[in-house]
Amino acid sequence: WRTTMAINWNTVSTDVGQAVGKVLGGAWGNVSPGASAQIAAIVAVGQSIENNRATMTQSDYNMLKLMQQRALEGVLQSYAAISLVVAEQAAAAAWSVVAAALKTAYPVLGFVP
């Protein structure tokens, strides 16, 4: 596998936080300290996918994506101001940043939609 560009995971982490913050709006200020560990976990899973891309299957990717989205949803739903729908939207936005980074760096990865 050859990369077309290196993934800057620090930038991805910042972008994930911004994507979640955009969905949550004013609630983000209260939520961000508690959600930061889960956002770091999402980014770490993205790095793991990158490191294991040669052996990653579609079902592996789907499982990791679902686990990370559900974990972030759970953290976000623990805040009274955040509904299930908003938590789901924020988690999807977070994962879309990771998926976009992977797809940009490794366009041939068929398992990243």
Side-chain angles (χ1 to χ4, degrees):
W1 296 80
R2 297 186 61 182
T3 62
T4 55
M5 72 180 258
I7 297 175
N8 181 331
W9 288 104
N10 289 327
T11 300
V12 171
S13 180
T14 299
D15 293 348
V16 168
Q18 290 174 347
V20 172
K22 186 175 180 181
V23 173
L24 298 182
W28 178 237
N30 294 330
V31 172
S32 61
S36 63
Q38 189 54 46
I39 287 174
I42 288 173
V43 174
V45 167
Q47 290 173 300
S48 177
I49 291 168
E50 178 184 31
N51 293 336
N52 296 294
R53 67 189 179 278
T55 58
M56 180 78 47
T57 66
Q58 182 72 54
S59 63
D60 292 336
Y61 174 83
N62 290 344
M63 179 195 62
L64 290 169
K65 174 184 174 182
L66 183 63
M67 287 173 38
Q68 292 307 308
Q69 286 183 311
R70 294 298 180 260
L72 181 56
E73 289 168 16
V75 168
L76 296 177
Q77 287 181 57
S78 69
Y79 293 87
I82 300 176
S83 69
L84 171 63
V85 171
V86 171
E88 289 172 345
Q89 290 170 346
W95 190 262
S96 70
V97 172
V98 171
L102 289 164
K103 194 65 174 170
T104 299
Y106 307 101
V108 298
L109 287 183
F111 57 78
V112 179

